[in-house]
Amino acid sequence: MQDDTITWSDFAWDNGCEPTDPISEAPNSVTFRRTNYAAELMTAEKRVAAFPFDQLAHEGRKFLWPWQWGWRFPTDDI
């Protein structure tokens, strides 16, 4: 990693209770320019909230977006 980039890797499903489940279709890693990354995070909540939600696929389970269970964007500069 360089000072002007951020890299995501090792993509996996994680529910906090069971071992992680790697996502085989995901790329090995994704690298962002730090300035672009911060700008994208500021608009992520609105874009993710616009995703379609299939109620039948989640029947019997309550679905919450991360900000609905207390997750918040960091307030410090990235």
Side-chain angles (χ1 to χ4, degrees), residues 15-71:
N15 66 10
C17 299
E18 302 169 45
T20 58
D21 184 16
I23 303 172
S24 60
E25 300 84 13
N28 290 332
S29 66
V30 179
T31 300
F32 305 90
R33 295 188 106 163
R34 188 173 291 273
T35 54
N36 296 0
Y37 182 80
E40 290 298 319
L41 281 181
M42 293 302 133
T43 63
E45 179 178 354
K46 184 176 181 179
R47 288 182 290 128
V48 171
F51 287 174
F53 178 72
D54 184 351
Q55 186 63 43
L56 293 176
H58 299 87
E59 196 68 35
R61 292 184 283 166
K62 184 173 181 176
F63 181 82
L64 297 176
W65 292 107
W67 50 87
Q68 291 174 307
W69 41 263
W71 179 88

Side-chain angles (χ1 to χ4, degrees), residues 5-21:
T5 63
I6 294 175
T7 301
W8 290 358
S9 61
D10 301 321
F11 296 98
W13 297 110
D14 184 359
N15 66 10
C17 299
E18 302 169 45
T20 58
D21 184 16

